[in-house]
Amino acid sequence: GNSVTQMEGPVTLSEEAFLTINCTYTATGYPSLFWYVQYPGEGLQLLLKATKADDKGSNKGFEATYRKETTSFHLEKGSVQVSDSAVYFCALTDNTNAGKSTFGDGTTLTVKP
Amino acid sequence: NAGVTQTPKFQVLKTGQSMTLQCAQDMNHNSMYWYRQDPGMGLRLIYYSASEGTTDKGEVPNGYNVSRLNKREFSLRLESAAPSQTSVYFCASGELQSVAFFGQGTRLTVV
């Protein structure tokens, strides 16, 4: 079956530091890949997505590139802010099974001033 | 601009009680989902509905039932609540291979 493995947290960074959160996946076929963000007390929100190999998703300074050869979709940001503190989830959906998503366990990011 | 609306936001139940979590979406999506979120375990799919009139089990369906009332609404029922069902429940909707839109969640405590 499908699976998503995320870098374990928590991750603590100082403001303006570089962020990488690793994500690798196992899937049949050609999945779409997503990063979601969850702020305290809220539901998940889409951060960015990529639907095919070599696509780069980007939003709010975050980027991730769909790497089929390494089955990875690592999240990066060049300079984090305190407001980026949240839980980040990597996920995939395949083109079968009603588009069900498979989520990683989430990585908690805390950014200190 | 409602998106996915879940009710209630908070609930405390006694062991053995029943309740229904309601979910409605206004984006005309075919697929709807119920997840539970537990610390350190990410999101686990309970049930999903690929289209109006169909429902299927997800990863952790035991102790739950669902109803896809119409295209907009997808409810989750706990017939006899157990402490192991203490969790945060999220409803989501979406389309094949597309992003899922999540509700704000229901925090359920079973004592």
Side-chain angles (χ1 to χ4, degrees):
Chain A
N2 298 337
S3 68
V4 175
T5 302
Q6 270 183 249
M7 167 179 168
E8 287 190 22
V11 174
T12 302
L13 295 173
S14 297
E15 206 163 24
E16 299 184 3
F18 185 85
L19 169 71
T20 300
I21 300 178
N22 290 338
C23 172
T24 58
Y25 68 90
T26 303
T28 54
Y30 302 96
S32 293
L33 302 175
F34 305 87
W35 277 100
Y36 290 85
V37 60
Q38 184 181 32
Y39 299 103
E42 298 185 9
L44 280 69
Q45 306 170 25
L46 177 69
L47 181 59
L48 53 85
K49 68 176 183 179
T51 57
K52 61 183 187 296
D54 299 324
D55 267 2
K56 177 185 282 188
S58 61
N59 186 25
K60 300 181 182 179
F62 291 89
E63 292 182 341
T65 301
Y66 189 143
R67 300 284 188 205
K68 191 168 185 293
E69 64 276 14
T70 54
T71 62
S72 64
F73 193 55
H74 304 321
L75 182 68
E76 297 182 336
K77 186 174 185 182
S79 176
V80 294
Q81 306 300 313
V82 172
S83 58
D84 294 327
S85 298
V87 182
Y88 293 82
F89 291 90
C90 185
L92 67 83
T93 66
D94 61 27
N95 58 5
T96 61
N97 292 326
K100 289 187 300 179
S101 295
T102 301
F103 289 84
D105 288 344
T107 301
T108 300
L109 171 66
T110 302
V111 180
K112 297 190 172 180
Chain B
N1 197 27
V4 178
T5 304
Q6 286 182 238
T7 55
K9 288 187 168 49
F10 300 94
Q11 184 71 49
V12 178
L13 291 178
K14 293 182 179 179
T15 297
Q17 285 186 317
S18 63
M19 79 161 294
T20 300
L21 281 63
Q22 307 287 353
C23 175
Q25 53 97 3
D26 62 3
M27 294 170 284
N28 204 36
H29 288 151
N30 284 304
S31 298
M32 296 186 74
Y33 313 88
W34 276 105
Y35 293 90
R36 61 178 289 174
Q37 184 179 31
D38 302 292
M41 300 187 76
L43 279 85
R44 293 183 291 170
L45 183 65
I46 304 171
Y47 270 93
Y48 68 100
S49 170
S51 61
E52 186 179 351
T54 68
T55 61
D56 284 287
K57 296 178 180 179
E59 186 184 350
V60 288
N62 290 345
Y64 306 94
N65 284 300
V66 290
S67 296
R68 183 74 182 269
L69 304 169
N70 47 54
K71 193 170 186 180
R72 288 187 65 245
E73 298 173 287
F74 188 40
S75 62
L76 177 73
R77 183 162 179 83
L78 287 70
E79 291 290 352
S80 179
S84 61
Q85 294 178 305
T86 293
S87 187
V88 182
Y89 291 85
F90 288 100
C91 177
S93 71
E95 298 292 1
L96 198 67
Q97 272 199 316
S98 183
V99 62
F101 292 84
F102 283 80
Q104 296 283 335
T106 297
R107 189 173 295 273
L108 175 66
T109 302
V110 183
V111 297

